[in-house]
């Protein structure tokens, strides 16, 4: 692999590039978090708890939208 990012505790179900250096990823059923990453140091800059698995990430000109599946419980 070119790069490995290890902070999610389950499968990553959604990923979206925000710009050339940053991307956001969403964890599956075991994880339930959104993480914003800086690819230059392979560490997450910010983590958001969602209490549900993140299935996909979309954007328009002003906002990011996430698609969620069943809750974590």
């Amino acid at each position: 692999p070119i790069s490995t990012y290890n902070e999610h505790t389950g499968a990553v179900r959604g990923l979206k590039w925000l710009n050339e250096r940053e991307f956001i990823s969403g964890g599956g059923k075991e994880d339930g978090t959104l993480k914003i990453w800086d690819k230059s140091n392979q560490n997450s800059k910010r983590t958001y708890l969602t209490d549900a698995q993140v299935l996909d990430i979309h954007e328009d000109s002003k906002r990011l939208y996430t698609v969620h599946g069943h809750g974590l419980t």
Side-chain angles (χ1 to χ4, degrees):
I2 295 172
S3 297
T4 303
Y5 298 82
N6 295 315
E7 292 182 31
H8 280 291
T9 59
V12 171
R13 302 286 185 197
L15 187 138
K16 176 77 177 161
W17 284 97
L18 302 174
N19 54 50
E20 291 180 7
R21 292 180 12 144
E22 297 176 317
F23 65 94
I24 187 168
S25 61
K29 184 177 174 182
E30 299 82 15
D31 189 307
T33 62
L34 284 167
K35 293 182 180 285
I36 297 178
W37 302 85
D38 183 338
K39 75 173 191 174
S40 65
N41 63 18
Q42 298 177 332
N43 292 319
S44 61
K45 296 171 62 175
R46 203 169 299 139
T47 298
Y48 300 94
L49 299 176
T50 66
D51 292 329
Q53 59 181 316
V54 179
L55 300 176
D56 205 355
I57 302 166
H58 298 276
E59 70 176 327
D60 65 18
S61 61
K62 296 181 182 180
R63 293 185 176 95
L64 285 171
Y65 298 92
T66 58
V67 178
H68 297 266
H70 296 287
L72 297 177
T73 58

